[in-house]
Amino acid sequence: MLKGRSLIDPSDFTREEFREIFDLAHEIIKNPEKFSKSCEGKILATLFYEPSTRTRFSFEAAMLRLGGQIIGFSEPNSSSVSKGESISDTIKTIECYADIAVMRHPKEGAPKVASQSVSFPVINAGDGGHQHPTQTLTDILTMERLKGNIENKVYGFCGDLKFGRTVHSLIKFLSNYEGVRFILISPEELRVPEYVREEIMKKKNVPFVEVEKMEPYLGEIDFLYMTRVQRERFFNEEDYIRLKDRFILDAEKMSFASPETYILHPLPRVNEISVEVDIDPRAQYFQQAKNGMFVRMALILKLLGIY
Ligand code: CP
């Protein structure tokens, strides 16, 4: 039963509960009209303490397409946060006005603290360099639509695997599935954090390699998950400049990939995928962004107990 629950981390729901969300998302894609009044009278609040395009707009579009309404801020200085109000007081106040809330925050754990202060559903829309579980829902739905299932696949992750919360959430989620294998492509300084290596991949016996070149592996990868080197997470601008252009996927590199290697990216991109790759049918990152809206529609319906 997902009604009233919060989603903060990919381990919050069981495989069966995630299955319910994906099945509903596939149904929404087939017949969106059927759901167009499902959330009439309901309000979604979006509390974004960090910039966003896809996550915020897709949540807002999701609620509007379900017939509900939205309130929120994308600039915390326009709210009483700028006067020093705590996360806990802010979310308790929002609970007075809305039925469900989505929060993005630069501090790891902030959405969890918020969810523990209230009894309505709170969704983590990204907390610092930690987790981004609804991006994972977006990624998995996209993979299911491209290859039918996510088991027995080779996943390549490339770029900033240290600070990339989308990578951490996706690895955590996929590690529960049979036959998955990871190829982790990054400079040594941007490898996955220790807890991802030890507490997730090694604990769950997921085979993985950590490498510094993508070309030798492109032919065996089912999904290549590209990521941006995130300037905002670096303490030192020199390190960012040194590492930012290390991996650029272009048409030449795509020639090493198999015809069935799909390219995903949570976006935004800077230059890690050349725009010339966008017309390749294996480039699926804009479809992925669109799928994010459908899976968030399903999540809202489940957490509100409407479906
Ligand atoms: N993928 C993602 O989280 O994008 P935004 O930062 O634009 O929300």
Side-chain angles (χ1 to χ4, degrees):
M1 185 71 163
L2 288 166
K3 183 178 178 182
R5 307 250 301 267
S6 290
L7 175 58
I8 304 299
D9 185 283
S11 59
D12 286 342
F13 298 166
T14 64
R15 271 174 70 152
E16 292 69 31
E17 286 166 341
F18 279 119
R19 187 71 263 147
E20 284 182 40
I21 296 168
F22 295 124
D23 286 348
L24 183 56
H26 289 296
E27 203 185 324
I28 293 169
I29 291 173
K30 263 191 237 147
N31 187 5
E33 199 50 41
K34 178 179 161 194
F35 301 88
S36 64
K37 294 191 170 129
S38 302
C39 282
E40 269 183 356
K42 300 288 184 193
I43 295 177
L44 171 95
T46 53
L47 287 68
F48 277 68
Y49 294 75
E50 255 193 356
S52 167
T53 298
R54 278 142 294 273
T55 311
R56 185 167 70 85
F57 284 116
S58 67
F59 262 114
E60 294 184 354
M63 192 51 158
L64 294 170
R65 285 178 188 274
L66 292 168
Q69 293 181 293
I70 51 171
I71 56 174
F73 58 77
S74 56
E75 174 44 72
N77 288 334
S78 67
S79 74
S80 286
V81 169
S82 63
K83 301 175 201 159
E85 188 169 49
S86 69
I87 298 269
S88 176
D89 285 0
T90 301
I91 197 76
K92 280 184 195 161
T93 306
I94 298 296
E95 190 179 25
C96 301
Y97 311 134
D99 302 284
I100 184 166
V102 181
M103 178 184 284
R104 170 171 289 187
H105 201 285
K107 280 203 189 123
E108 295 186 7
K112 187 176 173 106
V113 169
S115 71
Q116 289 167 338
S117 309
V118 290
S119 54
F120 78 151
V122 176
I123 299 168
N124 178 6
D127 58 330
H130 189 222
Q131 298 285 335
H132 191 349
T134 68
Q135 180 63 47
T136 299
L137 296 183
T138 300
D139 304 335
I140 300 293
L141 181 72
T142 303
M143 292 167 181
E144 285 191 352
R145 296 194 72 74
L146 290 167
K147 294 218 181 198
N149 64 66
I150 56 171
E151 291 170 347
N152 302 308
K153 304 277 183 293
V154 180
Y155 295 88
F157 292 89
C158 180
D160 179 357
L161 311 187
K162 180 179 181 181
F163 298 111
R165 58 194 176 196
T166 61
V167 170
H168 307 159
S169 282
L170 187 52
I171 287 178
K172 193 165 189 181
F173 187 98
L174 287 170
S175 294
N176 293 320
Y177 289 80
E178 290 74 37
V180 302
R181 187 153 65 85
F182 299 146
I183 296 173
L184 307 172
I185 309 156
S186 73
E188 196 174 347
E189 298 94 320
L190 295 180
R191 286 186 177 173
V192 290
E194 189 73 2
Y195 84 91
V196 172
R197 188 179 302 106
E198 300 298 326
E199 298 298 317
I200 302 174
M201 297 188 299
K202 284 193 182 169
K203 211 170 187 170
K204 304 233 168 178
N205 293 318
V206 179
F208 69 93
V209 288
E210 295 182 281
V211 298
E212 296 193 30
K213 271 196 175 301
M214 69 166 87
E215 291 89 328
Y217 303 94
L218 284 172
E220 60 181 296
I221 289 174
D222 289 285
F223 294 105
L224 177 61
Y225 198 86
M226 293 295 295
T227 61
R228 169 178 70 98
V229 176
Q230 301 177 73
R231 182 179 219 145
E232 67 273 27
R233 309 263 180 242
F234 277 80
F235 293 113
N236 180 337
E237 180 75 2
E238 278 171 25
D239 286 346
Y240 168 73
I241 290 168
R242 186 167 51 81
L243 296 170
K244 72 185 174 64
D245 296 328
R246 191 71 71 85
F247 298 101
I248 297 181
L249 183 66
D250 55 18
E252 194 202 332
K253 289 205 184 72
M254 285 299 288
S255 69
F256 292 96
S258 105
E260 309 234 312
T261 299
Y262 290 109
I263 311 302
L264 302 182
H265 191 311
L267 303 178
R269 89 173 131 188
V270 181
N271 62 347
E272 60 279 2
I273 302 180
S274 301
V275 288
E276 66 191 9
V277 176
D278 294 359
I279 54 165
D280 188 309
R282 295 169 292 180
Q284 289 289 323
Y285 25 91
F286 289 108
Q287 182 60 45
Q288 185 184 357
K290 185 169 184 179
N291 291 338
M293 179 184 71
F294 294 120
V295 85
R296 288 175 174 117
M297 288 169 80
L299 180 65
I300 291 168
L301 288 171
K302 285 287 175 188
L303 300 189
L304 290 178
I306 294 169
Y307 270 86

